[in-house]
Amino acid sequence: MKVIRLILWVSTALLQPLFLQPALAMVYINVDFQPGGSGGGTSVTFNARGAMGTPGTTWNAVAPSTDGSDNASYGSGGLYNFSGDPYSASALLDSTGTATSVGVEIFKGDPDGAFALNPLNGWDTNIAENAKELMRDYLISGYATKTNSVNITGLPAGSFYTLVLYGAGDLNDCSTKFTINGVSKATTGVPNDLHNLTEGEDYVIFTGITASGSVTIQYANNDESANGNFNGFQLAYVSGDSIPTLSEWGMIILAGLLLGVGAWYLHQRSRAGPMPAPS
């Protein structure tokens, strides 16, 4: 029995650090892009669930400064005029309002800009009915730079990420091509009619994304689109601290082998019968 006790002790020692780790937890982060600065007059932040069901309805308003050159009765916005490059927002809140390590960077381009439709003048008629505040405002790739980028930073290592990317304007000639890690997906834009958020029209979904601290999202005009709109995104991932690393998987496998040897040893002992008593 000393052999069995030794096997149990070693297996427990190998697995104990894994048992002490926190339970797996899903994290959801919502971002609503909108113009800031002089062009932020008609920006409104979304506060509902969006296409991805989330535990809460907190959205981060990320509003790079714009110069107001597009301010008019139909909305507000203009070219980026923030100092430095990129514009960054850090410590984004998750959907329940808890601060995270995740941030976002927006690049100026040549420059590009952002815009928000004015709902008071009826310019959002074709916007998704269940996400007006989200889909009314957006970053734009197409003022000067045909492809621009947004970085999501501060991502915990060792996880897989799902991204819902929103890319539509107020007319069906505004659609967006998104590219992540060489894979591209595009929206077709709104159908010029009443509708709710629809995959393929208003947003696309990327799943199984791997990243080492950050992920880059390229966005551009799709085909003959007037501009490449980027309304916002939803990010979901499993908390990376509790996912076994390769070395931890090695300990799990080794402990499993030791327990298997112990089970085999007990089986052989039971077949051999009880040990004879010493004379």
Side-chain angles (χ1 to χ4, degrees), residues 211-229:
S212 179
S214 66
V215 61
T216 297
I217 305 166
Q218 293 179 307
Y219 62 105
N221 309 42
N222 182 42
D223 296 329
E224 299 301 319
S225 171
N227 41 49
N229 309 83

mmCIF file of all heavy atoms in Angstrom, residues 211-229:
data_model
loop_
_atom_site.group_PDB
_atom_site.id
_atom_site.type_symbol
_atom_site.label_atom_id
_atom_site.label_comp_id
_atom_site.label_asym_id
_atom_site.label_seq_id
_atom_site.Cartn_x
_atom_site.Cartn_y
_atom_site.Cartn_z
ATOM 1 N N ALA A 211 -4.773 35.691 -29.905
ATOM 2 C CA ALA A 211 -3.996 36.929 -29.874
ATOM 3 C C ALA A 211 -2.992 36.853 -28.749
ATOM 4 O O ALA A 211 -3.186 36.130 -27.770
ATOM 5 C CB ALA A 211 -4.912 38.134 -29.676
ATOM 6 N N SER A 212 -1.904 37.594 -28.901
ATOM 7 C CA SER A 212 -0.889 37.682 -27.861
ATOM 8 C C SER A 212 -0.883 39.104 -27.315
ATOM 9 O O SER A 212 -0.044 39.922 -27.677
ATOM 10 C CB SER A 212 0.489 37.300 -28.416
ATOM 11 O OG SER A 212 1.468 37.399 -27.407
ATOM 12 N N GLY A 213 -1.874 39.406 -26.501
ATOM 13 C CA GLY A 213 -1.959 40.729 -25.896
ATOM 14 C C GLY A 213 -2.794 41.730 -26.652
ATOM 15 O O GLY A 213 -3.373 42.634 -26.055
ATOM 16 N N SER A 214 -2.864 41.606 -27.976
ATOM 17 C CA SER A 214 -3.655 42.571 -28.754
ATOM 18 C C SER A 214 -4.114 41.928 -30.053
ATOM 19 O O SER A 214 -3.547 40.926 -30.507
ATOM 20 C CB SER A 214 -2.838 43.830 -29.066
ATOM 21 O OG SER A 214 -1.762 43.534 -29.924
ATOM 22 N N VAL A 215 -5.141 42.513 -30.640
ATOM 23 C CA VAL A 215 -5.626 42.076 -31.951
ATOM 24 C C VAL A 215 -5.913 43.328 -32.780
ATOM 25 O O VAL A 215 -6.417 44.326 -32.264
ATOM 26 C CB VAL A 215 -6.882 41.182 -31.824
ATOM 27 C CG1 VAL A 215 -8.030 41.937 -31.174
ATOM 28 C CG2 VAL A 215 -7.312 40.641 -33.167
ATOM 29 N N THR A 216 -5.545 43.276 -34.061
ATOM 30 C CA THR A 216 -5.757 44.405 -34.975
ATOM 31 C C THR A 216 -6.955 44.126 -35.873
ATOM 32 O O THR A 216 -7.044 43.064 -36.487
ATOM 33 C CB THR A 216 -4.504 44.645 -35.835
ATOM 34 O OG1 THR A 216 -3.412 44.994 -34.984
ATOM 35 C CG2 THR A 216 -4.737 45.768 -36.844
ATOM 36 N N ILE A 217 -7.854 45.096 -35.941
ATOM 37 C CA ILE A 217 -9.023 45.021 -36.821
ATOM 38 C C ILE A 217 -8.844 46.046 -37.930
ATOM 39 O O ILE A 217 -8.778 47.256 -37.666
ATOM 40 C CB ILE A 217 -10.323 45.317 -36.057
ATOM 41 C CG1 ILE A 217 -10.478 44.394 -34.854
ATOM 42 C CG2 ILE A 217 -11.529 45.211 -36.989
ATOM 43 C CD1 ILE A 217 -11.550 44.851 -33.889
ATOM 44 N N GLN A 218 -8.742 45.593 -39.168
ATOM 45 C CA GLN A 218 -8.716 46.507 -40.310
ATOM 46 C C GLN A 218 -10.138 46.701 -40.813
ATOM 47 O O GLN A 218 -10.917 45.742 -40.886
ATOM 48 C CB GLN A 218 -7.834 45.954 -41.422
ATOM 49 C CG GLN A 218 -6.355 45.882 -41.071
ATOM 50 C CD GLN A 218 -5.531 45.318 -42.198
ATOM 51 O OE1 GLN A 218 -5.813 44.234 -42.714
ATOM 52 N NE2 GLN A 218 -4.502 46.048 -42.610
ATOM 53 N N TYR A 219 -10.489 47.940 -41.148
ATOM 54 C CA TYR A 219 -11.815 48.203 -41.698
ATOM 55 C C TYR A 219 -11.673 49.105 -42.915
ATOM 56 O O TYR A 219 -10.845 50.014 -42.945
ATOM 57 C CB TYR A 219 -12.753 48.795 -40.651
ATOM 58 C CG TYR A 219 -12.356 50.133 -40.077
ATOM 59 C CD1 TYR A 219 -13.014 51.303 -40.458
ATOM 60 C CD2 TYR A 219 -11.323 50.249 -39.147
ATOM 61 C CE1 TYR A 219 -12.662 52.542 -39.923
ATOM 62 C CE2 TYR A 219 -10.969 51.472 -38.610
ATOM 63 C CZ TYR A 219 -11.635 52.613 -39.000
ATOM 64 O OH TYR A 219 -11.285 53.824 -38.478
ATOM 65 N N ALA A 220 -12.489 48.832 -43.929
ATOM 66 C CA ALA A 220 -12.347 49.525 -45.212
ATOM 67 C C ALA A 220 -13.685 49.578 -45.936
ATOM 68 O O ALA A 220 -14.620 48.830 -45.616
ATOM 69 C CB ALA A 220 -11.317 48.813 -46.085
ATOM 70 N N ASN A 221 -13.755 50.452 -46.948
ATOM 71 C CA ASN A 221 -14.903 50.481 -47.850
ATOM 72 C C ASN A 221 -15.051 49.101 -48.488
ATOM 73 O O ASN A 221 -14.087 48.514 -48.963
ATOM 74 C CB ASN A 221 -14.693 51.489 -48.985
ATOM 75 C CG ASN A 221 -14.274 52.851 -48.497
ATOM 76 O OD1 ASN A 221 -13.454 52.983 -47.601
ATOM 77 N ND2 ASN A 221 -14.824 53.877 -49.125
ATOM 78 N N ASN A 222 -16.273 48.590 -48.517
ATOM 79 C CA ASN A 222 -16.525 47.307 -49.162
ATOM 80 C C ASN A 222 -16.993 47.537 -50.593
ATOM 81 O O ASN A 222 -18.027 48.175 -50.817
ATOM 82 C CB ASN A 222 -17.581 46.528 -48.381
ATOM 83 C CG ASN A 222 -17.838 45.157 -48.982
ATOM 84 O OD1 ASN A 222 -16.905 44.463 -49.368
ATOM 85 N ND2 ASN A 222 -19.097 44.771 -49.053
ATOM 86 N N ASP A 223 -16.228 47.031 -51.559
ATOM 87 C CA ASP A 223 -16.557 47.196 -52.978
ATOM 88 C C ASP A 223 -16.731 48.678 -53.319
ATOM 89 O O ASP A 223 -15.827 49.459 -53.151
ATOM 90 C CB ASP A 223 -17.806 46.382 -53.344
ATOM 91 C CG ASP A 223 -17.568 44.885 -53.189
ATOM 92 O OD1 ASP A 223 -16.416 44.452 -53.380
ATOM 93 O OD2 ASP A 223 -18.517 44.162 -52.867
ATOM 94 N N GLU A 224 -17.930 49.071 -53.783
ATOM 95 C CA GLU A 224 -18.171 50.458 -54.199
ATOM 96 C C GLU A 224 -18.802 51.294 -53.093
ATOM 97 O O GLU A 224 -19.405 52.332 -53.346
ATOM 98 C CB GLU A 224 -19.083 50.476 -55.441
ATOM 99 C CG GLU A 224 -18.496 49.755 -56.643
ATOM 100 C CD GLU A 224 -17.156 50.338 -57.075
ATOM 101 O OE1 GLU A 224 -17.023 51.578 -57.078
ATOM 102 O OE2 GLU A 224 -16.262 49.541 -57.397
ATOM 103 N N SER A 225 -18.678 50.840 -51.869
ATOM 104 C CA SER A 225 -19.277 51.544 -50.743
ATOM 105 C C SER A 225 -18.774 52.978 -50.657
ATOM 106 O O SER A 225 -17.614 53.262 -50.928
ATOM 107 C CB SER A 225 -18.966 50.815 -49.443
ATOM 108 O OG SER A 225 -19.350 51.577 -48.324
ATOM 109 N N ALA A 226 -19.663 53.888 -50.228
ATOM 110 C CA ALA A 226 -19.280 55.293 -50.082
ATOM 111 C C ALA A 226 -18.240 55.471 -48.989
ATOM 112 O O ALA A 226 -17.345 56.306 -49.088
ATOM 113 C CB ALA A 226 -20.515 56.137 -49.770
ATOM 114 N N ASN A 227 -18.360 54.700 -47.923
ATOM 115 C CA ASN A 227 -17.348 54.737 -46.874
ATOM 116 C C ASN A 227 -17.429 53.461 -46.040
ATOM 117 O O ASN A 227 -18.426 52.743 -46.070
ATOM 118 C CB ASN A 227 -17.480 55.984 -45.966
ATOM 119 C CG ASN A 227 -18.907 56.325 -45.632
ATOM 120 O OD1 ASN A 227 -19.673 55.472 -45.226
ATOM 121 N ND2 ASN A 227 -19.275 57.590 -45.824
ATOM 122 N N GLY A 228 -16.353 53.196 -45.300
ATOM 123 C CA GLY A 228 -16.305 52.023 -44.439
ATOM 124 C C GLY A 228 -16.669 52.426 -43.021
ATOM 125 O O GLY A 228 -15.866 53.036 -42.320
ATOM 126 N N ASN A 229 -17.880 52.101 -42.597
ATOM 127 C CA ASN A 229 -18.365 52.499 -41.280
ATOM 128 C C ASN A 229 -17.991 51.456 -40.232
ATOM 129 O O ASN A 229 -18.103 50.262 -40.465
ATOM 130 C CB ASN A 229 -19.889 52.653 -41.286
ATOM 131 C CG ASN A 229 -20.379 53.524 -42.416
ATOM 132 O OD1 ASN A 229 -20.547 53.058 -43.524
ATOM 133 N ND2 ASN A 229 -20.589 54.792 -42.149
#
